[in-house]
Amino acid sequence: MPSDLFMRLLRPLGRAYLGRRYEVHLHEADHVPRRGPCILACNHIGWLDGPLLSAYAPRPVHALTKREMFVGATGRLLLATGQIPLERAEPDPGAVLTCLATLGAGRVVAVFPEGSRGDGELAMVQPGTAYLGMVTGAPIVPVVMFGTRAPGGHLESVPPPGSRFDVVYGAPVYLERQPWPRTKAQVRRTGAELRLRLLDHLERAKARTGLTLPGPVPTAAVKEER
């Protein structure tokens, strides 16, 4: 199970750095339970989504992060702060077991259920988030990011200093805990139901803030990411 000690030490530094560089607004963060297992399910529009969530979430977060990031100094930092490597191209039972152990210890796991950065509109939601909720019974808190990628920006783009970021939390979603064996059909069906709940929160977040998402990623950037 990943350690959270180094993450706890770095979170204040991350908040201080991001807070000096950007205007960060948090909405309804009290939806995150103060203790016990929790899954944060966040849309994914920009490179800064992960760092922003790690620094500003009410509790330390272990985020599923694409395995390609775990190289060099960046990889060492991710491992030291308790982030979880994920192989996106195929099923990754090791990542699933790590998430289950982390949730079993009463910690917070963050998932970007779209699978990769994009327009953030949740057109497709991978079933893994629903699976974790079905197995553990942990509440799934929807999270919507605004501002971490400017309209027309490429996947690696970072908004200029002074930009405003809004992080909007939603009411927890509780899925019915499913005993083993859990069929693929059950997971897909529950995943589809969860997507509707995430979409509902996305629309509420837009209405609450008056903000919009940045739109499609430029085609060349999409090809590069894949």
Side-chain angles (χ1 to χ4, degrees):
M1 182 175 62
S3 171
D4 65 352
L5 177 60
F6 195 47
M7 184 196 328
R8 290 178 182 275
L9 296 174
L10 285 183
R11 272 163 53 84
L13 297 177
R15 285 194 295 270
Y17 173 77
L18 291 169
R20 284 197 303 267
R21 192 171 179 83
Y22 300 105
E23 183 182 345
V24 180
H25 293 260
L26 307 179
H27 306 263
E28 300 187 84
D30 57 347
H31 279 307
V32 178
R34 293 187 177 184
R35 59 183 62 85
C38 176
I39 302 167
L40 302 182
C42 185
N43 71 332
H44 204 6
I45 58 174
W47 184 88
L48 283 174
D49 294 341
L52 192 65
L53 196 61
S54 294
Y56 280 94
R59 295 168 57 189
V61 168
H62 302 276
L64 278 166
T65 306
K66 63 180 182 179
R67 189 172 295 276
E68 297 92 322
M69 294 288 292
F70 288 81
V71 295
T74 299
R76 290 192 292 272
L77 178 62
L78 289 170
L79 289 173
T81 55
Q83 308 315 304
I84 303 171
L86 173 68
E87 177 57 63
R88 298 182 300 167
E90 57 190 26
D92 190 341
V96 172
L97 290 174
T98 301
C99 287
L100 294 177
T102 302
L103 292 168
R107 297 183 184 177
V108 179
V109 168
V111 181
F112 296 97
E114 292 166 290
S116 61
R117 279 167 266 164
D119 60 14
E121 297 282 1
L122 302 169
M124 179 180 294
V125 169
Q126 303 295 332
T129 308
Y131 178 84
L132 294 176
M134 292 168 65
V135 173
T136 65
I140 300 171
V141 176
V143 185
V144 171
M145 294 278 185
F146 293 105
T148 53
R149 180 172 62 81
H154 60 80
L155 289 170
E156 301 298 328
S157 64
V158 175
S163 297
R164 172 171 173 149
F165 299 156
D166 286 74
V167 185
V168 187
Y169 295 85
V173 176
Y174 291 86
L175 301 180
E176 183 179 355
R177 197 165 184 171
Q178 296 284 347
W180 189 88
R182 289 163 288 273
T183 67
K184 290 183 179 180
Q186 283 179 314
V187 175
R188 284 196 300 268
R189 183 169 60 250
T190 305
E193 295 169 358
L194 175 61
R195 175 177 173 268
L196 294 178
R197 302 289 294 275
L198 298 180
L199 282 170
D200 181 63
H201 172 61
L202 174 60
E203 294 308 312
R204 289 174 183 272
K206 290 178 180 178
R208 175 186 173 86
T209 62
L211 299 172
T212 59
L213 293 173
V217 178
T219 304
V222 173
K223 291 180 179 178
E224 181 180 343
E225 168 74 2
R226 291 177 179 173

